[in-house]
């Protein structure tokens, strides 16, 4: 029943928003929506930063957020924060020339001629199954997927295999997948020492301290996508983890804990001596600052893999998760050391081999057909510029756009593979 109600709400929204098609499309209006947490982060942020930096004053940019006051600073960048699901948000989205999101959110919009819809998605690799796999009633799932696909123009992909399995899971035509990687990962492939230092200072880390980030994902205990995401007892022990890291890698270690942004009820509080970074908006900045990532089934493992730094998987409910959750890539092929108890986690760290880890990561990246380019934000920004400012048929095309189109022809993910193989 819940899935049917969810579908009916979307159909009703389409009908209610239909009158907004009376308003003309604003040719330079761009609406960006971080549908995962509705703050200024993730792929929409990376694209927004590129647009502001490369095309100042060319676009009327709106960024959907939950808290407009918190995001007033965006106005200084030339970006207008707009409250998600407000009347103004719907008006802007329906009159935008470009709508970009990282988590759907366009299935309930009536179709609009002249609008470019880009879905960057929010997870790399091909791990937990999603789309149709999250529905109890497949017919309802297919109806929802078709609604979304009918509005979509481009779907960004991090690997060839991702494109193949997502095409089936989301009923998206294969030709709409753009295999350039995720804009948010550009910063991980082009390390910024200044940013890393700034983030570490914000977290209160002293010179020489090393950071382990524990960032587990959420659970939907019934396995249905319309259920509220839930937290579980994660069972992390600061002394055990940091002690093992100090013995294996040396130095002094601090542990930071981050809830997934989808989790609203957070009964389990971080332990004493642990940095609570759940309120830190930008996960990629935390990954930039971290020396080690510990997660469970989060696709952040793909992102952190691109840094070449160690990632460990730890979950008390590892076996149960494997029994109840469908995955695209067998867990045995994930290149990260796995543990279902603190003792196993400790041993994974103490026995860690950087050489074996890097070889496993390169092999995994190749097997999935990884295509992180390190310039996804630029490619998307140029595509947006082309859509907004290209001349009509039969007229001479802007030379700048011609150059951008030629530069996009042979995009590959070789940069990420070379980065994974680099010497530490």
């Amino acid at each position: 029943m819940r899935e049917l109600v969810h579908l009916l709400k979307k159909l009703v929204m389409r009908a209610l928003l239909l009158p907004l098609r009376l308003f003309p499309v604003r040719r330079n209006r761009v609406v960006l929506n971080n549908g995962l947490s509705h703050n200024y982060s993730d792929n929409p942020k990376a694209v927004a930063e590129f647009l502001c930096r490369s095309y100042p004053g060319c676009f009327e940019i709106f960024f959907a957020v939950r808290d407009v006051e918190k995001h007033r600073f965006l106005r200084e960048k030339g970006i207008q924060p707009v409250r998600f699901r407000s009347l103004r948000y719907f008006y802007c989205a329906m009159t935008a020339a470009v709508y970009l999101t990282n988590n759907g959110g366009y299935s309930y919009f009536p179709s609009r001629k002249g609008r470019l819809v880009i879905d960057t998605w929010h997870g790399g690799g091909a791990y937990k199954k999603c789309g149709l796999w999250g529905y109890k009633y497949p017919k309802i799932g297919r109806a929802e997927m078709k609604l979304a696909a009918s509005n979509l123009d481009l779907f960004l992909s991090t690997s060839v295999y991702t494109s193949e399995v997502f095409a089936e899971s989301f009923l998206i035509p294969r030709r709409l997948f753009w295999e350039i990687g995720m804009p948010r990962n550009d910063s991980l492939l082009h390390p910024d020492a200044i940013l890393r230092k700034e983030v570490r200072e914000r977290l209160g880390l002293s010179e020489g301290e090393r950071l382990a980030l524990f960032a587990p994902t959420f659970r939907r205990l019934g396995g249905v996508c319309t259920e509220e995401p839930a937290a579980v007892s994660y069972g992390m022990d600061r002394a055990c983890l940091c002690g093992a890291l100090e013995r294996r890698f040396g130095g002094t270690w601090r542990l930071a804990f981050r809830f997934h942004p989808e989790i609203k009820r957070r009964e389990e509080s971080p332990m004493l001596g642990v940095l609570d970074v759940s309120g830190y908006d930008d996960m990629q900045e935390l990954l930039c600052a971290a020396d080690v990532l510990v997660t469970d089934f989060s696709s952040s493992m793909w992102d952190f893999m691109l840094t070449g730094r160690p990632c460990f998987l730890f979950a008390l409910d590892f076996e149960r998760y494997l029994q109840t959750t469908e995955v695209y890539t067998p867990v045995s092929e994930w290149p990260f050391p796995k543990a279902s108890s603190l003792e196993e986690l400790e041993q994974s760290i103490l026995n860690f081999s950087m050489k074996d880890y890097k070889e496993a990561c390169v092999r995994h990246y190749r097997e999935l057909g990884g295509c992180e380019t390190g310039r996804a934000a630029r490619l998307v920004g140029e595509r947006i510029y082309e859509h907004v400012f290209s001349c009509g048929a039969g007229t001479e095309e802007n030379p700048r756009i011609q150059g951008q189109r030629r530069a996009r022809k042979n995009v590959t993910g070789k940069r990420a593979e070379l980065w994974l193989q680099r010497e530490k």
Side-chain angles (χ1 to χ4, degrees):
M1 178 60 74
R2 183 180 295 178
E3 291 181 5
L4 179 59
V5 170
H6 195 253
L7 173 61
L8 291 176
K9 283 181 179 179
K10 291 187 175 184
L11 295 174
V12 170
M13 281 298 298
R14 275 205 170 197
L16 292 176
L17 294 175
L18 200 58
L20 291 179
R21 292 208 306 186
L22 296 174
F23 295 94
V25 170
R26 297 285 292 270
R27 293 308 304 168
N28 70 332
R29 176 169 290 172
V30 178
V31 174
L32 305 169
N33 177 26
N34 175 5
L36 200 61
S37 54
H38 303 296
N39 58 26
Y40 190 60
S41 64
D42 210 88
N43 293 314
K45 173 186 175 180
V47 174
E49 294 282 319
F50 175 81
L51 292 178
C52 292
R53 183 173 61 251
S54 301
Y55 308 113
C58 289
F59 296 101
E60 183 187 23
I61 302 175
F62 290 88
F63 206 102
V65 296
R66 281 203 177 97
D67 188 342
V68 172
E69 284 302 307
K70 176 183 174 182
H71 292 84
R72 290 180 65 181
F73 70 91
L74 291 178
R75 296 190 176 99
E76 299 174 5
K77 297 175 177 283
I79 301 171
Q80 293 296 316
V82 58
R83 186 164 60 84
F84 181 61
R85 288 182 178 170
S86 65
L87 182 59
R88 187 178 184 220
Y89 164 77
F90 288 122
Y91 170 76
C92 290
M94 282 297 296
T95 56
V98 178
Y99 182 85
L100 182 145
T101 178
N102 64 348
N103 193 31
Y106 44 84
S107 57
Y108 52 81
F109 287 137
S111 59
R112 194 82 206 253
K113 185 178 180 181
R115 180 178 61 200
L116 175 68
V117 176
I118 303 174
D119 194 332
T120 68
W121 198 235
H122 56 269
Y127 303 111
K128 295 177 293 186
K129 288 189 176 180
C130 47
L132 291 174
W133 294 93
Y135 287 83
K136 185 177 179 180
Y137 301 101
K139 287 186 178 180
I140 295 177
R142 294 183 69 84
E144 286 211 25
M145 296 301 106
K146 288 180 179 179
L147 276 179
S150 67
N151 272 337
L152 184 64
D153 295 293
L154 289 172
F155 194 104
L156 269 56
S157 175
T158 57
S159 77
V160 174
Y161 185 57
T162 303
S163 304
E164 293 170 354
V165 295
F166 276 24
E168 296 181 2
S169 295
F170 291 101
L171 303 183
I172 297 172
R174 184 65 174 79
R175 59 184 170 77
L176 298 186
F177 285 87
W178 195 9
E179 293 165 352
I180 59 172
M182 289 191 294
R184 73 185 192 196
N185 286 342
D186 294 350
S187 62
L188 300 179
L189 289 166
H190 299 275
D192 186 336
I194 296 176
L195 174 62
R196 177 176 164 87
K197 182 178 179 182
E198 289 176 350
V199 175
R200 291 171 65 85
E201 288 176 350
R202 286 183 215 138
L203 298 178
L205 297 173
S206 60
E207 190 72 26
E209 279 189 316
R210 307 181 76 178
L211 179 65
L213 175 62
F214 180 43
T217 189
F218 62 87
R219 309 288 193 278
R220 282 193 169 97
L221 301 180
V224 179
C225 66
T226 53
E227 290 181 338
E228 181 178 335
V232 296
S233 179
Y234 297 110
M236 177 55 72
D237 183 278
R238 180 190 63 82
C240 177
L241 176 65
C242 292
L245 291 171
E246 288 171 4
R247 279 184 282 165
R248 171 60 183 84
F249 299 105
T252 301
W253 287 79
R254 296 284 302 277
L255 174 61
F257 179 89
R258 187 177 193 267
F259 274 111
H260 191 282
E262 285 276 7
I263 298 175
K264 305 301 185 294
R265 293 181 297 176
R266 303 178 175 184
E267 287 80 5
E268 181 169 326
S269 300
M271 302 156 286
L272 291 175
V274 174
L275 299 172
D276 183 1
V277 294
S278 298
Y280 197 103
D281 286 346
D282 197 327
M283 176 64 169
Q284 301 311 103
E285 291 187 359
L286 293 176
L287 294 180
C288 175
D291 297 288
V292 160
L293 173 68
V294 181
T295 184
D296 45 13
F297 316 101
S298 169
S299 63
S300 60
M301 62 179 115
W302 171 273
D303 298 18
F304 199 70
M305 177 182 70
L306 302 176
T307 70
R309 298 193 286 271
C311 173
F312 299 91
L313 305 187
F314 167 67
L316 296 179
D317 61 341
F318 214 105
E319 292 304 320
R320 181 185 181 280
Y321 189 89
L322 297 182
Q323 294 170 3
T324 60
T325 306
E326 297 276 0
V327 294
Y328 294 117
T329 306
V331 176
S332 59
E333 297 178 12
W334 299 3
F336 317 101
K338 308 163 190 68
S340 57
S341 69
L342 286 171
E343 291 76 16
E344 290 180 3
L345 177 61
E346 182 179 31
Q347 289 304 309
S348 292
I349 295 170
L350 295 177
N351 297 326
F352 180 79
S353 166
M354 180 60 79
K355 179 178 180 294
D356 293 344
Y357 173 74
K358 289 174 66 174
E359 289 176 354
C361 286
V362 170
R363 183 168 58 252
H364 180 64
Y365 187 84
R366 287 176 176 170
E367 288 174 349
L368 266 62
C371 46
E372 295 279 0
T373 60
R375 55 194 181 101
R378 171 178 291 277
L379 292 167
V380 173
E382 290 175 350
R383 179 67 182 85
I384 290 172
Y385 183 90
E386 176 183 328
H387 175 76
V388 170
F389 294 107
S390 62
C391 299
T395 61
E396 185 177 356
E397 188 175 49
N398 187 322
R400 183 175 188 177
I401 294 173
Q402 290 179 337
Q404 291 172 358
R405 181 175 287 119
R406 285 194 296 269
R408 286 205 306 270
K409 281 187 176 180
N410 297 310
V411 175
T412 70
K414 282 293 181 183
R415 174 173 178 82
E417 185 173 321
L418 292 172
W419 183 246
L420 284 168
Q421 296 180 76
R422 77 198 186 288
E423 292 296 325
K424 291 292 289 181

